[in-house]
Amino acid sequence: MKNPFITTGYVSAAYFCDRERETEAIVSLLTNENNIALISPRRYGKTALIRHCLQRPEITDHYYTFLIDIYATRSLRDFVNKLGKAILDTLKPKGRKVWEHFITSLKTLSGNFTYDINGTPSWSVSLGDIENPNVTLDEIFYYLQNADKPCIVAIDEFQQISKYPEENIEAIIRTHVQYCNNAAFIFSGSQRHLMGTIFTSPARPFYQSVTVMNLPLIPKDKYADFAIYHFEQAGKKIDREVIDELYKRFDGATFYLQKVLNILFQQTPKDSMCGVEMIDSAIDYIIDFTADTYAELLYQLPEKQKQILIAINNEGNATGILSSAFVKKYGLTSASSVKSAVNGLLDKDFITQEREVYKIYDLFFGIWLRSQ
């Protein structure tokens, strides 16, 4: 039997836990021509939820759907490249007439596609080929507006656009979205303060242009029922206390629950019970594979950032990190040096910030760090 605790991507509704209320809300909003800003910390299952919604028949039967992750993008040119490639890759299986419409819309890139022996195109566009990203973006939105079916475009880690070097990026994208009435958009993001500023600040272009949804944790009881059911389907059992303990250790974050349960499921023989005594060895099993990478990451950090990372990790949920008490407790130099180091750690995604609470981003890394 397939391991039901999926750790990469989205497989099907059968292996998707709960989110019934959120799914119904998102599907209803999209099919009624609303745009959505979906906000949650990373590793809460936000992207899987989007994929789950896009697989609903109300969506698949009537819309073209495009999902792009722009986390690694650094400029408007990167953004345009990602969006164009995602659209072409999605349209290719739908037949020549469908993808030809898109390619003919991209007049500035018409000579930059390659075709295989069957005449199927590939996005062989390099960043250098996109000479004027604003114009190419115009062409992409022209396609979305004139596609033969309505479209849904989901842009993951949308807060990244606020870091692009070009001016007025938010205004440019907002204008395109505003006048594209053949498409609905999901803007999802994991950095709450950046996403909140983009969509709720009256001074920003996206203000009052979307329905803002904050994604909560999956309730512990729902997740426990999900885990128990899948263990039983495989002829195995799991103690509910296992879920209680994992939920507490990992603050209910879906990614970590799935990762550890994947290993526990693998290590529990048929007709046997998975108990709390198996948790530590399962976590050690996961961390052992990554220990060398963690050691290298720590080695590469500047000394002050390393000190702050260790201090925040020791606190768990660190508050008042600029206070004299925090500085004194961990033998740090000064509040100003702490602030500088924290900004560096935030930029590198070693830590996260929710309001005034800081914690290590990778909780497995945090466990490894405490063992050193």
Side-chain angles (χ1 to χ4, degrees):
M1 175 185 177
K2 181 181 181 66
N3 193 312
F5 300 99
I6 308 302
T7 59
T8 55
Y10 173 81
V11 175
S12 71
Y15 301 107
F16 188 77
C17 179
D18 191 39
R19 298 295 191 204
E20 295 172 7
R21 185 176 68 87
E22 293 91 344
T23 299
E24 293 303 322
I26 291 171
V27 171
S28 178
L29 285 165
L30 292 174
T31 54
N32 284 280
E33 302 179 355
N34 294 278
N35 298 326
I36 301 168
L38 182 64
I39 306 172
S40 82
R42 292 178 74 186
R43 304 193 168 184
Y44 271 39
K46 177 172 68 278
T47 306
L49 172 60
I50 294 171
R51 292 187 181 278
H52 180 64
C53 292
L54 297 184
Q55 290 299 312
R56 286 283 292 264
E58 304 98 304
I59 302 292
T60 58
D61 292 350
H62 303 286
Y63 295 83
Y64 293 136
T65 61
F66 312 108
L67 172 59
I68 64 167
D69 182 346
I70 64 168
Y71 178 69
T73 63
R74 296 292 179 266
S75 66
L76 179 61
R77 183 174 274 104
D78 287 347
F79 176 88
V80 169
N81 187 57
K82 274 269 189 182
L83 180 58
K85 185 177 188 305
I87 292 175
L88 180 59
D89 288 348
T90 302
L91 296 179
K92 278 197 297 187
K94 303 183 185 301
R96 185 182 189 94
K97 183 178 178 182
V98 174
W99 57 253
E100 264 191 348
H101 184 192
F102 175 60
I103 287 179
T104 55
S105 299
L106 300 186
K107 294 179 172 56
T108 57
L109 299 178
S110 58
N112 297 103
F113 297 97
T114 59
Y115 297 82
D116 65 18
I117 194 170
N118 298 312
T120 305
S122 292
W123 183 270
S124 50
V125 177
S126 68
L127 290 179
D129 297 328
I130 304 173
E131 295 180 1
N132 191 329
N134 277 297
V135 174
T136 305
L137 188 64
D138 287 345
E139 294 171 344
I140 290 174
F141 271 89
Y142 174 84
Y143 164 76
L144 293 173
Q145 175 64 17
N146 293 281
D148 61 309
K149 287 169 64 172
C151 303
I152 294 173
V153 181
I155 305 174
D156 205 2
E157 302 299 347
F158 186 71
Q159 74 277 338
Q160 195 64 29
I161 69 165
S162 66
K163 303 176 184 179
Y164 292 173
E166 296 91 349
E167 294 183 0
N168 302 318
I169 290 296
E170 290 177 35
I172 290 168
I173 296 175
R174 168 72 179 98
T175 300
H176 281 300
V177 169
Q178 182 179 6
Y179 292 106
C180 188
N181 54 30
N182 193 46
F185 294 82
I186 305 173
F187 306 104
S188 68
S190 58
Q191 295 182 8
R192 195 185 301 274
H193 61 293
L194 291 178
M195 289 289 287
T197 302
I198 290 172
F199 291 102
T200 63
S201 171
R204 304 289 276 267
F206 275 97
Y207 178 62
Q208 291 189 334
S209 66
V210 302
T211 299
V212 177
M213 293 182 62
N214 287 282
L215 189 64
L217 292 169
I218 295 173
K220 182 172 66 177
D221 288 344
K222 289 275 190 181
Y223 202 88
D225 291 344
F226 172 79
I228 290 167
Y229 169 79
H230 282 293
F231 267 76
E232 288 179 346
Q233 289 296 298
K236 307 178 182 187
K237 293 184 178 180
I238 184 169
D239 191 329
R240 188 174 283 264
E241 288 185 18
V242 174
I243 313 303
D244 292 343
E245 178 63 22
L246 290 176
Y247 204 91
K248 181 174 70 175
R249 288 200 197 189
F250 295 106
D251 299 325
T254 306
F255 169 82
Y256 299 99
L257 298 178
Q258 289 284 109
K259 193 77 173 176
V260 179
L261 283 167
N262 180 284
I263 302 303
L264 289 172
F265 182 88
Q266 171 188 322
Q267 294 180 345
T268 303
K270 194 170 182 179
D271 300 321
S272 296
M273 168 72 78
C274 174
V276 291
E277 72 283 353
M278 298 173 65
I279 291 175
D280 287 338
S281 63
I283 293 172
D284 289 344
Y285 179 85
I286 294 166
I287 292 173
D288 282 348
F289 283 112
T290 323
D292 288 346
T293 301
Y294 288 154
E296 184 63 24
L297 287 172
L298 191 64
Y299 175 77
Q300 290 178 2
L301 278 180
E303 189 60 32
K304 287 183 179 179
Q305 290 184 13
K306 188 185 303 183
Q307 284 181 284
I308 300 299
L309 180 68
I310 292 169
I312 289 173
N313 189 52
N314 287 342
E315 290 288 302
N317 292 305
T319 58
I321 63 172
L322 300 181
S323 67
S324 57
F326 186 87
V327 170
K328 183 178 179 181
K329 179 178 179 180
Y330 289 102
L332 305 171
T333 308
S334 64
S336 61
S337 67
V338 170
K339 186 174 182 179
S340 174
V342 164
N343 288 337
L345 291 169
L346 285 169
D347 286 342
K348 297 171 184 174
D349 276 343
F350 275 91
I351 59 174
T352 64
Q353 176 190 1
E354 288 289 324
R355 297 182 174 90
E356 296 305 314
V357 179
Y358 297 83
K359 62 182 180 181
I360 197 161
Y361 165 64
D362 183 342
L363 298 183
F364 289 138
F365 186 23
I367 294 170
W368 175 85
L369 198 55
R370 284 192 292 274
S371 71
Q372 300 309 297

